Amino acid sequence: MEGLVNFLNDIAIAGSWLLPTACYIAACMSFIYAVWGMWQQSQPQNPFVGKPWVPYVALVLSGAFAAFDRILTKAAKSAKLDMQVSLNSSSPTGYTGNTSPISGAGSS
């Protein structure tokens, strides 16, 4: 059972590294798409005929993806959770030595 808890902890640590990476990549892609879309609207072969709002939505989404840590902090405060989402205080939460992730006493 302790191995399963350690494995899930390792998955959570990997997710804490992958989520910011995925959000920043999505922000860059959305920004590039917005710039490309705004440039395409001035061209004769405009792919956004009838949908001129698409590049602007991509621009707003790029800002939302880039500020995901602040959005998560505000959502946690509105849910009355005492949690701060920050990217500069990244510390590993791996278990070393004799410390056990399972609370309580028991035999191994």
Side-chain angles (χ1 to χ4, degrees), residues 8-98:
L8 292 176
N9 182 50
D10 292 341
I11 289 176
I13 290 172
S16 72
W17 285 99
L18 290 176
L19 178 68
T21 303
C23 283
Y24 286 136
I25 288 172
C28 290
M29 289 174 54
S30 296
F31 183 76
I32 290 170
Y33 182 75
V35 169
W36 175 80
M38 290 177 193
W39 177 72
Q40 281 291 320
Q41 286 186 349
S42 66
Q43 303 299 318
Q45 71 276 11
N46 181 9
F48 301 110
V49 174
K51 296 183 235 169
W53 48 268
V54 173
Y56 299 104
V57 170
L59 188 64
V60 170
L61 283 177
S62 72
F65 281 129
F68 77 96
D69 55 334
R70 289 173 291 241
I71 292 171
L72 285 178
T73 300
K74 289 179 182 180
K77 284 184 181 177
S78 69
K80 297 195 185 334
L81 298 175
D82 190 25
M83 181 176 70
Q84 176 79 20
V85 180
S86 175
L87 295 178
N88 22 351
S89 65
S90 175
S91 63
T93 58
Y95 300 108
T96 59
N98 293 332

